[in-house]
Amino acid sequence: MTPSARDTILNKLRASAQRPFPDAPPRPKHYHPVTIQEDESAEALLERFTTELKNLKAEPFVVDDDAAARVQVLALLEEHEARRIIAWDFAHIPVTGLEAAIRAAGIEILYPDAHDDYRAEMLAAAEGAQVGLTGADAAAATTGTLIFTTGAGKGRIPTVLAPVHIAIITQDQILTRIESWVARLRADALGEFRSHANFCFVSGPSRTGDIEMELILGVHGPGRVQVVVKR
Amino acid sequence: MDLTANHFNEAAVIALDDIHLQIALDRGTGTADGRRRGVMGELPHAPALRQQGRAARLRALHDLPELLEQMERNVIAAGGHVLWATDAAEANRHIVEICQKHNLKRGVKSKSMATEEINLHEALHKAGIEMIETDLGEYIVQIDESAPSHIVMPVMHMTKEQIRTLFMEKLAMPYIEEASGMTAFIREHLRQEYLNADFGMSGGNFMIAETGTVVIVTNEGNGRLSTSIPPVHIAVVGIEKIIPTWEDFATLIQLLPRSGTGQRMTVYVNGFTGPARLGEPDGPEAFYLVLLDNGRSNIYATEYAESLACIRCGACLNACPVYQNVGGHSYGWVYPGPIGAIVTPLLKGIENAAPLPFASSLCGACKTACPVDIDIPTMLLKLRRDLQAVQDPIWQVSMAAYSFGFSHPLLYEAGGKAASIASRVATAAMGGDPNEGVPTGDLKLPYPLSGWTQNRDFPPFAESSFHDWWRQNRAPKDKS
């Protein structure tokens, strides 16, 4: 019997008398974080996060409470002339009464389910939406990054399919940096992380520079990313 | 992609005369390298970060077989499938079989160098399976029926005019002046492909062993669409792309875009841990990981193992004065530039890529630009040495004789004596004083040594060797 590809590869890697890089430095106790942020107070992080979003050509909106968040989101939906939006389950969007307010404005809300029996019709309807509306798991201030993981009611499609993505987070979801989120995963030995099929860091709108290095937004993903931060 | 690396010199000469290419290369490499310097330069601890990233890669390579087993366990635990491929043919066979099993006819693909490496398009085409590239640059390459010329910027070699003409000819695009309008046209054009696709294909920038997570990075969002909507996701990843921990990942995922495109983060960093879980509204119902060897294990235990630490950012291409002038196609395979000049000979056989180790001025800009500090110049030198052994039989025989002589003391001494006597006889025959040598120009050694004596004295070897002198003057005289 011929050995499997798996055995062939692993045996070959193990065949040599000495592994490469026996003197590779051991795993450090403390890693240098990549980005620099000295003031980690909530206000400083909000300031850094919104600055980085603007640098990425995303649009931050800071509001004080649920009522202001509803007004802000409705104003944005009006700006985009939204008739239909694709959304996360509103249980994962941290603004009370938002779903009712959007419906009251006559806007259709679709919760796209790609595993539905009527998948093709569902996707065609989702493609017709003007806006994707979601919450987020966390945000990283120093890179202007929104962090998403998947779960029931928290799909991938609303973050990427429509030409506009509106994400709503609370100020306390803003972490300092990517490494801060990783530290949070580590705190429970990556246990919770394993329950999600997907994670995604989104830093600003979809972009390309493939044609003569010219920056163009919205090539496949959303060309506009609007982030509503509730204090 | 066909291997034409042995025609580097001819291709380079043509490239140097191509004014459109020269303009495109100047703009592309100049912009990318400048941006990289900007975002790396803003970090005062950049040197420490590079070493942190390097250490992560070297640790991973040291533990490669164990990490691959851990990755496999974790992908399976998450409900995914893992297939191993020793070479390109086996990888393609796996992918075609997956397509047949699930009856997959139409795929959408995110940019991946591994799938270029295995010529996946050709294999799928033969099996009657359609697959569409969705990265704008890769899509341009696909409809142009050409090949990418850069690891992260596939059509760096093309001008806007050339791309516009292509779209108008192949896609019946009306004349659109601006690149933004052309891009919007392609967005519409590819929209339905995502929705109708049976499967999504991707490569992998990293595999995080401790959770069994495959990570891809894209700026356009095509990677996220290709892997979120279709019911099956197949990822093909080189075995060396593995890293052990999330902390290592946090460092490397930020060094990659800073070095590659000069961004602080890539727009979409997208990670997959198996297929969609129960209750998740989208994502693939089946997830396959194809672990690709294709020559990597041959490099593993050699002095070129460091080349496996590469994270494919493309910084060495942009920084290289040779790449900047000859462009990616001259290198004649999937991986161009300084890292390609190492990887292509190693993966495809040095005799099939003989000019590549010489396609470098050894200036070291590649090593300086590399986010994990890979010593590319030294490996290029070693490849030149290896190539000499492969190509030049006389050199090979004489080096064997040299090493035999120098490792046998008696032979070495005899050789020294013979040289001493022969040089004296030769000098005397030329009419010179055997103890003084021959004045310049008098002694003409035969070809190929004539070049040496043309402008140089040829002093005879000393009468007594150093060995003899040592025995007479320094050797312990304890026998008396």
Side-chain angles (χ1 to χ4, degrees):
Chain A
M1 192 183 131
T2 51
S4 69
R6 180 183 190 278
D7 292 346
T8 305
I9 295 167
L10 289 175
N11 289 342
K12 218 153 127 195
L13 295 176
R14 290 197 168 108
S16 57
Q18 203 190 7
R19 294 278 183 95
F21 314 116
D23 50 357
R27 201 180 158 198
K29 274 206 178 66
H30 300 288
Y31 283 73
H32 303 284
V34 174
T35 51
I36 297 164
Q37 174 70 21
E38 275 160 20
D39 184 351
E40 301 194 37
S41 69
E43 277 311 294
L45 292 184
L46 178 63
E47 171 67 28
R48 178 77 190 263
F49 182 55
T50 54
T51 304
E52 294 295 335
L53 283 175
K54 287 176 198 160
N55 289 342
L56 294 165
K57 303 198 186 303
E59 302 153 69
F61 301 90
V62 181
V63 297
D64 284 329
D65 53 26
D66 281 7
R70 286 192 297 270
V71 170
Q72 182 65 62
V73 171
L74 286 172
L76 294 175
L77 292 177
E78 193 180 13
E79 177 200 337
H80 303 306
E81 298 177 7
R83 304 316 311 152
R84 181 188 294 157
I85 67 170
I86 44 179
W88 276 9
D89 187 325
F90 279 78
H92 303 292
I93 300 176
V95 178
T96 57
L98 184 60
E99 185 178 12
I102 292 170
R103 285 194 200 284
I107 296 168
E108 180 191 354
I109 302 172
L110 195 67
Y111 305 96
D113 186 343
H115 305 141
D116 192 276
D117 288 343
Y118 299 95
R119 171 186 156 81
E121 292 81 353
M122 174 71 88
L123 290 175
E127 165 62 14
Q130 290 82 28
V131 173
L133 181 68
T134 72
D137 283 50
T142 57
T143 48
T145 303
L146 294 164
I147 301 174
F148 302 97
T149 60
T150 51
K154 287 166 59 189
R156 313 174 197 199
I157 289 173
T159 66
V160 71
L161 187 66
V164 179
H165 177 199
I166 300 175
I168 308 173
I169 62 169
T170 54
Q171 188 176 358
D172 60 9
Q173 286 184 293
I174 303 174
L175 310 174
T176 308
R177 50 175 73 88
I178 298 293
E179 288 89 338
S180 319
W181 186 69
V182 170
R184 181 186 282 188
L185 301 189
R186 182 65 69 196
D188 83 328
L190 301 160
E192 201 263 345
F193 176 83
R194 290 173 207 273
S195 66
H196 316 290
N198 177 262
F199 82 90
C200 194
F201 302 156
V202 178
S203 306
S206 156
R207 61 170 61 202
T208 185
D210 275 343
I211 302 177
E212 294 191 347
M213 309 292 283
E214 185 181 334
L215 172 66
I216 292 159
L217 301 181
V219 52
H220 295 291
R224 296 184 72 178
V225 172
Q226 301 182 312
V227 184
V228 177
V229 184
K230 191 179 79 171
R231 284 184 190 274
Chain B
M1 181 172 173
D2 293 336
L3 178 69
T4 57
N6 269 341
H7 297 293
F8 176 85
N9 293 334
E10 296 90 318
V13 168
I14 295 168
L16 289 170
D17 277 342
D18 183 339
I19 186 70
H20 293 296
L21 177 66
Q22 290 302 318
I23 292 168
L25 281 171
D26 279 356
R27 177 171 41 223
T29 57
T31 309
D33 197 49
R35 284 183 189 157
R36 175 186 64 80
R37 288 163 192 270
V39 296
M40 290 304 283
E42 74 186 15
L43 301 174
H45 58 315
L49 287 173
R50 283 175 81 218
Q51 294 311 315
Q52 184 166 292
R54 176 181 174 80
R57 289 299 294 132
L58 300 190
R59 277 197 299 279
L61 290 174
H62 180 263
D63 299 331
L64 184 56
E66 290 74 29
L67 290 175
L68 288 169
E69 287 171 325
Q70 187 187 15
M71 181 75 195
E72 180 186 47
R73 274 197 307 278
N74 282 324
V75 172
I76 291 170
H81 304 272
V82 178
L83 299 158
W84 302 67
T86 54
D87 58 17
E90 190 167 19
N92 287 328
R93 207 158 53 236
H94 283 317
I95 296 164
V96 169
E97 280 171 12
I98 295 165
C99 291
Q100 286 162 349
K101 181 178 150 200
H102 292 275
N103 194 26
L104 311 174
K105 296 285 181 210
R106 295 166 65 84
V108 279
K109 184 167 155 297
S110 179
K111 183 173 149 41
S112 142
M113 297 313 293
T115 53
E116 294 284 343
E117 185 185 321
I118 63 175
N119 251 334
L120 175 65
H121 275 289
E122 197 184 313
L124 288 181
H125 184 72
K126 276 187 192 149
I129 298 158
E130 190 187 350
M131 174 128 81
I132 292 172
E133 293 284 353
T134 57
D135 173 82
L136 177 60
E138 290 286 344
Y139 182 67
I140 292 169
V141 165
Q142 187 179 26
I143 60 174
D144 191 35
E145 296 170 40
S146 61
S149 69
H150 191 286
I151 298 176
V152 296
M153 290 165 275
V155 291
M156 184 192 266
H157 60 287
M158 292 176 83
T159 60
K160 184 163 80 178
E161 286 68 34
Q162 290 171 323
I163 295 169
R164 182 191 298 119
T165 306
L166 181 71
F167 287 174
M168 290 170 70
E169 280 175 9
K170 296 284 173 100
L171 307 174
M173 183 185 82
Y175 182 91
I176 299 175
E177 173 61 30
E178 297 297 327
S180 57
M182 291 159 60
T183 305
F185 176 83
I186 296 300
R187 177 183 168 111
E188 281 314 304
H189 187 77
L190 289 179
R191 215 66 199 154
Q192 291 303 318
E193 301 294 348
Y194 294 116
L195 303 180
N196 296 337
D198 301 322
F199 68 109
M201 287 256 9
S202 75
N205 294 85
F206 297 103
M207 297 187 285
I208 310 171
E210 66 176 331
T211 50
T213 306
V214 176
V215 179
I216 63 169
V217 303
T218 71
N219 273 320
E220 300 181 358
N222 61 310
R224 188 151 174 81
L225 287 165
S226 301
T227 56
S228 296
I229 300 174
V232 177
H233 175 191
I234 308 169
V236 186
V237 191
I239 52 173
E240 85 285 12
K241 290 290 184 75
I242 205 149
I243 49 173
T245 68
W246 271 82
E247 285 77 8
D248 289 340
F249 172 68
T251 302
L252 291 167
I253 198 60
Q254 297 182 76
L255 285 177
L256 174 65
R258 280 178 188 263
S259 306
T261 52
Q263 292 171 280
R264 294 176 185 85
M265 271 306 263
T266 311
V267 177
Y268 299 95
V269 174
N270 204 352
F272 318 98
T273 313
R277 306 300 165 80
L278 197 65
E280 290 187 355
D282 50 29
E285 288 157 48
F287 175 81
Y288 292 88
L289 170 62
V290 178
L291 291 171
L292 178 71
D293 180 349
N294 205 28
R296 288 159 175 80
S297 60
N298 295 334
I299 305 174
Y300 183 62
T302 71
E303 58 193 326
Y304 301 107
E306 195 183 341
S307 66
L308 297 172
C310 174
I311 59 173
R312 301 278 188 266
C313 69
C316 62
L317 281 59
N318 304 326
C320 175
V322 176
Y323 181 93
Q324 285 168 4
N325 286 286
V326 305
H329 288 155
S330 301
Y331 292 82
W333 200 49
V334 181
Y335 302 107
I339 191 66
I342 296 172
V343 168
T344 305
L346 292 174
L347 293 181
K348 304 300 280 186
I350 193 166
E351 67 282 7
N352 298 317
L356 296 192
F358 296 91
S360 167
S361 66
L362 301 178
C363 70
C366 47
K367 182 177 192 292
T368 309
C370 177
V372 292
D373 200 18
I374 296 175
D375 192 353
I376 294 173
T378 299
M379 282 192 280
L380 287 170
L381 276 173
K382 288 176 176 172
L383 283 169
R384 292 181 187 185
R385 176 206 59 199
D386 291 358
L387 193 67
Q388 186 113 43
V390 170
Q391 285 194 324
D392 191 342
I394 296 176
W395 190 87
Q396 214 171 352
V397 168
S398 46
M399 284 316 283
Y402 172 87
S403 89
F404 184 78
F406 272 62
S407 56
H408 293 76
L410 285 175
L411 201 60
Y412 176 82
E413 270 203 69
K417 288 216 170 80
S420 170
I421 291 163
S423 66
R424 265 147 217 296
V425 169
T427 309
M430 294 287 176
D433 179 344
N435 293 316
E436 293 297 328
V438 184
T440 306
D442 286 352
L443 180 58
K444 294 270 191 287
L445 290 176
Y447 180 84
L449 302 174
S450 51
W452 176 261
T453 51
Q454 202 169 3
N455 298 301
R456 294 175 186 86
D457 292 345
F458 184 74
F461 285 74
E463 198 168 353
S464 78
S465 73
F466 178 73
H467 273 128
D468 291 338
W469 179 89
W470 181 268
R471 278 189 208 100
Q472 271 172 14
N473 296 292
R474 291 287 185 277
K477 290 169 181 155
D478 53 356
K479 285 180 184 160
S480 53

